[in-house]
Amino acid sequence: METPVIPRSAALARPKSGVEVVMLTGDNDATARRIPGQPAETAVDQAQSGGSWCGGAQPTPPGGWNLVHDRFDLAQEATREALCTLGNGYWATRGAVPGSTADAIHYPGTYLAGIYNRLTTALDGNTVETEHLVNAPDWTFLTVRVGDGPVLAPGSPEMLSYRQDLDLRAGVLTRTQRYRDAAGRTTRVTSRQFQSLTAPHLAALELTLEAEDWSGEMTVESAVNGDVANHNVAADRALAHDHLVPGRSVELDGETVLYEAVTNQSRISIATAARTRVGAADMVVGRRLIAEQARAGHTITLSLGRGIPVMLEKIVAVASSRDRAVSTAALDAGNRIGRAPGFGELLGAQEDAWAELWERFGIDLETGARQSLALNLHIFHVLQTVAAADTDLDAGLPARGLHGEGYRGHIFWDELFVYPMLTLRRPELTRSFLLYRYRRLDAARAAARADGLNGAMFPWQSGSNGREETPAELFNVRNGVWMADNSRRQRHVGLAVAYSVWQYFQATADTGFLAEYGAEILVEVARLFTSLAVHNPADDRFDISGVMGPDEYHDGYPDAPGQGLRNNAYTNVLAAWVLARAEDAVGLLACRDCDPLWRRLHLKPEEPAHWDRISRRLRVPFHDGVISQFEGYEALEEFDWDTYRARYGNIGRLDLILQAEGDTTNRYRLSKQADVLMLFYLFSAEELRTVFERLGYTLRPELIPHTVQYYLARTSHGSTLSRLTHGWVLARSDRTRSWSLFEQALEADLADTQGGTTREGVHLGAMAGTADMVIRCYGGVETRQDVLWLHPVLPAELTEASFRLSYRGQPISIVLTQDQARLRLYPCSAGPVRLCVEGVEKTLVPGEVWEVDLPSAAAAHALPDPTAPMLRD
């Protein structure tokens, strides 16, 4: 599910005038600005000095809390902007240099959760309608110039030095730049910027200017720039991209302006109020209003003295017509900016709020600084996407966060990988995002009916109202051809939603949620798969046809492309599990006061029994001693992996490579990402054994390791989720390899290993998944049967891991070493909880501490792999 890769040489246009550029070739090519008079080889060395991390980031910053770039890199700036995005869940802003505009280097982007717009485009004689997360007006626009000189901007010939520091502990991005102009005047420009956690509609930017060796006038232009569009994704640039109609600009007072724009199809009003205030008012010698159709702000002229810093602060409030309890977006934004405190007060509250979040979500690893920083960065970006979620914010979890326009801002099954990190810490966040799905249940029902099916069919790509947003065609950047995209056949997205509903209930025992929302989702998804399952009386098995699995490389058989597959193992097994959970939910609520639920569902008495029957007789195919990805997989050709790796290097997107060659992935035994192996990601050995035994398959010990190795050898890792999943399933049989894959998953965005996709947004599922891997995979945490289970399996490279959980209202801190687990329940009013560590069960009350000795690593390696059941019909 990755965006097509644009070759880096094609993605970079000519540099700004006056900047000498050195191009580096190969996988780690970069662009470095050469300071006048500097030898070219020095610039090349600097461009390479960042190692594999994005454009000069310090490889191992001390403490693991700061992502630092100590030089400006033209080629990597768009990727840095995504990695340095600041947000709070209500909205987010890419880490573009204030005052920049979209060009070949920069891409300022501001995104409000849940605000989409649809446009139509004429493509090859056809009219297509696409929906996009809207790039909103840029509140960060702020430029500086000395006298009548050029704007002081990174990458310009005047720049002497550049340093950028993202502080993950506080969510603050700091830049320090020094310039020397043609007259020999040296100027230091420092900015600090953040999106407020405590006041989610507010953001703040502080600018400090210092004339180091001169005195005179400096001009600052501070504005809200409405001249923006959706240009972030290379493969979407042929699509219509202008989503905003300029509204009005108003000066609210001498320091404050308001700019309003409206989306041109969804008619959502977005109002941005910006207040620019100078700390030393006596240094202001002029202020002029900017009131243009696409910009609103002030031009401020300052008188600077030698060596005397001058500080400006820009506080911004944003509101939209989708917000609750507003008259108009403009009035609300104006009211908010009128009440907004100054930068210092907002910053103090910001630091406190992030400290509380890190106390709850932080994971301490006794391992390398590189891994610690990467994991902290992942957790940080997930939190920036979800922190403001509540019942009033009707928004889902975009697969690329609020960090760019990748996947057009749509919601996929990637949320499956995010929920565990939230459910075990702040379950109310998971609840809020599941309500996004519940509110679109009627749309899913309508989609099922349109296909002649019962129940609810959730879309593969979801946006504003829950209709299917998956495009029918995908642009292949390798040959410039549009190719068929049949991803909407991935019916397993509804199973992922249902799985997440049940996991939330297991962790929280929130029966109210189950009665009001969750059971309805479970039942309607069960009904869909009941209507998809066709009975074969010859062997009393049920078959499901016409679907795609998570693999994504097979949308049909070689002679029937696009028609879907028969009996995808992942889909069938997960469907059997969901059918059983729907039956459980109905039974659990049968004696409760749930009349509204029963009225909505019109449940027939015979339905649960029918779900039970199908859940026991769905077919799972096998071949050559392994679980088949789908029926007929063994008839496909083996793929020549060595030849294609030698020819192309990065072969993650074999679908694009083969289509450009006139071939198709449907012909071969290959996978883009985990498919069958996703079963071992979602279920423990005991759970999976129970599901298969319920289906009527007996177990033998060697099939699972054979299945794992079989598909590991046939996967191109074309998704950032792939190495994460494969590392998970290897954790108990090959810890060294598992840790290596975990490290690669940590690097995916930080090193942009997909070859340019990070600039279009981070991969939120993979980021959350790495945190989840420490807790639920290496920590062995499970929630089932009203018990919190721990079966730790720390790799040798990880000597200690500590984190905090919330289980059924009880905060629990857990410290794991290679030979001990220490659990401490916080004093609180929650009831006792049942825990089971390495098979030893104990009920603990708040305030208790439990220490359990663990088997040695050597002994654990000597044990049979507990995830290795063998399945036989």
Side-chain angles (χ1 to χ4, degrees), residues 622-789:
F622 302 87
H623 75 275
D624 300 336
V626 301
I627 304 171
S628 299
Q629 187 166 300
F630 50 82
E631 192 173 307
Y633 187 84
E634 71 280 4
L636 303 180
E637 299 177 34
E638 288 286 8
F639 186 68
D640 188 352
W641 294 92
D642 292 339
T643 295
Y644 274 80
R645 286 193 177 100
R647 184 183 303 170
Y648 290 100
N650 184 346
I651 59 171
R653 290 307 303 265
L654 280 171
D655 53 338
L656 306 182
I657 292 172
L658 292 178
Q659 194 271 346
E661 291 184 349
D663 203 348
T664 173
T665 49
N666 283 331
R667 290 180 52 205
Y668 302 102
R669 299 188 206 180
L670 45 76
S671 298
K672 175 183 173 183
Q673 57 190 340
D675 192 298
V676 172
L677 302 190
M678 275 297 300
L679 294 172
F680 315 134
Y681 178 87
L682 295 183
F683 300 112
S684 67
E686 292 86 351
E687 288 178 292
L688 198 60
R689 185 178 295 112
T690 299
V691 175
F692 273 95
E693 288 177 349
R694 182 185 179 92
L695 284 165
Y697 296 100
T698 55
L699 309 177
R700 291 205 311 251
E702 66 270 19
L703 183 137
I704 295 297
H706 289 173
T707 299
V708 169
Q709 295 304 320
Y710 184 90
Y711 290 106
L712 278 174
R714 291 167 174 81
T715 303
S716 73
H717 297 301
S719 165
T720 55
L721 297 171
S722 186
R723 288 181 173 85
L724 173 76
T725 307
H726 285 90
W728 187 294
V729 302
L730 285 171
R732 297 188 183 277
S733 59
D734 189 343
R735 297 189 196 186
T736 299
R737 191 174 181 190
S738 171
W739 180 257
S740 175
L741 288 167
F742 173 67
E743 289 183 309
Q744 292 173 44
L746 287 174
E747 297 278 320
D749 279 314
L750 197 51
D752 194 16
T753 59
Q754 293 288 327
T757 64
T758 299
R759 64 189 58 205
E760 298 170 357
V762 300
H763 298 81
L764 203 68
M767 284 188 160
T770 55
D772 185 38
M773 189 163 177
V774 175
I775 294 171
R776 292 197 307 129
C777 180
Y778 295 146
V781 173
E782 299 176 52
T783 55
R784 55 186 170 88
Q785 299 171 336
D786 297 319
V787 177
L788 180 69
W789 305 72

Side-chain angles (χ1 to χ4, degrees), residues 545-565:
S545 300
V547 302
M548 286 176 64
D551 154 54
E552 297 189 352
Y553 274 175
H554 299 89
D555 64 5
Y557 294 96
D559 58 348
Q563 300 305 303
L565 306 164

Side-chain angles (χ1 to χ4, degrees), residues 393-409:
L393 183 64
D394 181 33
L397 276 168
R400 304 298 284 274
L402 298 172
H403 297 62
E405 295 155 23
Y407 307 148
R408 303 172 190 170

Side-chain angles (χ1 to χ4, degrees), residues 825 831-836 840-845 848 850:
L825 275 62
V833 295
R834 293 171 60 201
L835 302 169
C836 183
V840 180
E841 190 169 331
K842 185 179 178 67
T843 298
L844 270 69
V845 299
E848 273 197 85
W850 186 26

Side-chain angles (χ1 to χ4, degrees), residues 92-104:
T93 303
R94 285 168 61 89
V97 175
S100 59
T101 56
D103 57 20

